[in-house]
Amino acid sequence: MNIGFKPNFLKIWSKSWGLAYVVVIPTILIIAPRIQKFVDWLFDKKDIEAPVDKSKKL
């Protein structure tokens, strides 16, 4: 909610920031590993081939 710069702006802002921080940190800790696991599954490392350097001779 946009309230502008009221006399108690800092109090309102710090309360909102604190609540957001309390919600976001556990959310990141719980959801981020699951998203990483899904992305790892989606882009299986075996399917991605390393580029071949053709300038090297055997």
Side-chain angles (χ1 to χ4, degrees):
M1 179 167 82
N2 189 357
I3 60 169
F5 288 105
K6 303 282 183 179
N8 59 347
F9 169 78
L10 194 57
K11 181 180 177 183
I12 294 169
W13 178 82
S14 63
K15 183 178 178 183
S16 298
W17 185 87
L19 178 62
Y21 193 81
V22 166
V23 170
V24 121
I25 294 301
T27 303
I28 289 173
L29 292 174
I30 292 168
I31 293 177
R34 293 178 185 193
I35 291 174
Q36 182 65 49
K37 190 175 181 180
F38 173 70
V39 170
D40 288 343
W41 172 81
L42 194 61
F43 298 101
D44 191 14
K45 293 178 183 172
K46 292 182 280 185
D47 293 341
I48 301 173
E49 293 183 22
V52 177
D53 187 7
K54 294 182 180 182
S55 65
K56 293 183 181 180
K57 294 183 180 180
L58 295 173

